């Protein structure tokens, strides 16, 4: 069954830098709220180029001292099947931009392994999540950060792929034909059980797909980002004026 969710909150900012700053503030607010209520903060990081500036900002003096980082647990929404030292690794990007520059305990960084067998790595990551969430039916992340590709994909949920119809697994090795490669990714229901989801979308390349995802006919097999509709949580879209040009 698809999540029904509430309508998205769309916030348009003048440029990519303002989107990154808004995302950093949302991250801090969510962290402080979760730590106050639960004693910890579980956040899923997005890969790709768009969120990097947000991570860099979180590691600056402006933001780093606002959060008790030893209470933060870092997870990943997806990963390429490469070692963590590879330039294409989502972990490497996040580590360089933020993780290595903050006092986050090593055991609080839950890396999604990309090296080795993709199916086995997906299973191992689901086991890690199940342990962290005390064998709950589904994970309840406090915040999930997501980007969106020009084709409407998010995380590694690509158009027409098997992961889009997954209903039971939390993590899956998703074969992406156009990339001729596996990607390891959280599944739609795993994301949709989060308390808060934050999309970051910038640039002219996203204008058409953003309009289709947010205002077009529902066609999640073609536009996977439409699948992200939290069952009992919020979804916020932080977009710049260029990406929002057709809205």
């Amino acid at each position: 069954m698809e999540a029904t969710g509430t309508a998205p909150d769309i916030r348009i900012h003048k440029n990519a830098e303002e989107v990154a700053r808004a995302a950093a503030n949302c991250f801090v607010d969510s962290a402080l709220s979760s730590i106050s209520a639960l004693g910890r903060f579980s956040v899923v990081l997005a890969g790709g180029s768009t969120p990097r500036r947000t991570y860099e900002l979180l590691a600056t003096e402006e933001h780093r001292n606002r959060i008790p980082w030893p209470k933060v647990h870092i997870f990943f929404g997806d990963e390429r099947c490469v070692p963590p030292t590879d330039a294409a690794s989502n972990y490497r990007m996040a580590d360089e931009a933020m993780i290595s520059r903050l006092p986050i305990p090593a055991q609080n960084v839950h890396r999604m392994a990309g090296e080795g067998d993709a199916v086995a790595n997906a299973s191992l990551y689901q086991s890690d999540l199940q342990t962290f969430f005390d064998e709950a039916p589904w994970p309840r992340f406090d915040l999930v950060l997501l980007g969106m590709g020009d084709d409407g994909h998010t995380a590694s949920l690509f158009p027409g792929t098997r992961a889009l119809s997954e209903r039971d697994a939390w993590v899956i090795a998703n074969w992406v034909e156009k990339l001729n490669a596996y990607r390891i990714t959280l599944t739609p229901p795993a994301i949709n059980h989060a308390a808060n989801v934050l999309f970051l979308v910038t640039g002219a390349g996203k204008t058409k797909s953003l309009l289709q995802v947010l205002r077009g006919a529902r066609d999640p097999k073609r536009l996977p980002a439409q699948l992200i509709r939290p069952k009992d949580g919020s979804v916020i879209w932080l977009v710049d004026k260029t990406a929002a040009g057709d809205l």
Side-chain angles (χ1 to χ4, degrees), residues 10-15 19 148 201-211 214-215 237-247:
I10 304 168
R11 304 179 186 180
I12 300 173
H13 297 270
K14 66 180 181 180
N15 54 40
V19 167
M148 189 191 73
V201 183
T202 63
K206 312 293 176 64
T207 304
K208 181 179 179 180
S209 57
L210 184 65
L211 175 66
L214 293 177
R215 302 285 190 241
W237 290 75
L238 300 180
V239 303
D240 69 357
K241 283 187 176 181
T242 302
D246 289 344
L247 291 179

Side-chain angles (χ1 to χ4, degrees), residues 101-125:
R101 300 161 62 191
L102 293 169
I104 303 174
Q107 65 269 24
N108 288 16
V109 180
H110 304 261
R111 183 175 74 87
M112 185 179 277
E115 67 278 19
D117 182 77
V119 174
N121 286 341
S123 178
L124 285 171
Y125 205 67

Side-chain angles (χ1 to χ4, degrees), residues 168-180:
D168 300 316
W170 298 13
V171 187
I172 193 171
N174 194 31
W175 177 256
V176 184
E177 189 66 34
K178 74 174 184 178
L179 302 176
N180 193 35

